Amino acid sequence: KQEVTQIPAALSVPEGENLVLNCSFTDSAIYNLQWFRQDPGKGLTSLLLIQSSQREQTSGRLNASLDKSSGRSTLYIAASQPGDSATYLCAVYAGGFKTIFGAGTRLFVKA
Amino acid sequence: DTGVSQDPRHKITKRGQNVTFRCDPISEHNRLYWYRQTLGQGPEFLTYFQNEAQLEKSRLLSDRFSAERPKGSFSTLEIQRTEQGDSAMYLCASSSIGTGDTQYFGPGTRLTVL
């Protein structure tokens, strides 16, 4: 059974700091991994999707990496801003049409 | 591309009542997903449609839950005989192979069962 874990559960950093969010999954047989952002009380916004054949994806200040063999993905946020404050979720699609989410990392960027 | 929309945004109901939610996916997306999210948790998969066919349904979903996607366009999720434990955010997402199966989410319907 696929399980997804995100560490840390919460993170508070000063503005301008570079940071890394971690996501681990138990079954390496995945098709893709997606990172989302969720603001309080809102739906999810897709940030990056990494196919199983890829090692990383970049969008602006965000870089996501995938290491299937070790069951890990990281989301790197460069030069963090107060507007980056949100919950970040990773999700694994492992076939069978199911997507499994982690519980998320709540990020607070202090001005 | 107007995004995924959901209606209503909020629903308050009494225990035992039936409720129905609607999701309108991005028009060219043939894949549609329903999720349930409770406070402090990630979304939990409920069911998946490819066009009008319901191809996957979570074993966690009781018989009180049913979903349809007639004509492969909008979808509805119905909960019969609601219970207080059904209180949650219900999220809908859509995708297509053409977008690498990136899932795009709607704003969600928040259900409160009194």
Side-chain angles (χ1 to χ4, degrees), chain B residues 44-113:
Chain B
E44 175 186 28
F45 171 83
L46 293 178
T47 191
Y48 164 78
F49 288 87
Q50 185 161 304
N51 299 312
E52 66 276 6
Q54 186 176 21
L55 299 184
E56 187 71 51
K57 184 176 177 180
S58 170
R59 280 174 284 181
L60 299 175
L61 215 59
S62 76
D63 292 341
R64 295 185 298 106
F65 288 72
S66 63
E68 295 182 339
R69 193 184 182 195
K71 303 179 183 178
S73 55
F74 71 92
S75 175
T76 59
L77 176 69
E78 181 183 19
I79 309 174
Q80 296 182 329
R81 304 182 302 282
T82 53
E83 303 172 355
Q84 288 187 325
D86 297 331
S87 295
M89 175 77 88
Y90 290 83
L91 295 163
C92 174
S94 69
S95 72
S96 71
I97 293 180
T99 60
D101 256 337
T102 297
Q103 292 189 35
Y104 294 89
F105 279 76
T109 294
R110 180 164 296 284
L111 173 66
T112 302
V113 182

Side-chain angles (χ1 to χ4, degrees), chain B residues 13-62:
Chain B
T13 191
K14 293 182 179 179
R15 188 175 53 187
Q17 297 294 305
N18 300 342
V19 295
T20 300
F21 309 141
R22 177 180 170 124
C23 170
D24 286 272
I26 293 172
S27 57
E28 59 269 28
H29 287 183
N30 65 333
R31 301 180 174 189
L32 188 145
Y33 313 77
W34 283 98
Y35 296 89
R36 177 172 62 189
Q37 186 178 29
T38 54
L39 196 62
Q41 300 299 314
E44 175 186 28
F45 171 83
L46 293 178
T47 191
Y48 164 78
F49 288 87
Q50 185 161 304
N51 299 312
E52 66 276 6
Q54 186 176 21
L55 299 184
E56 187 71 51
K57 184 176 177 180
S58 170
R59 280 174 284 181
L60 299 175
L61 215 59
S62 76

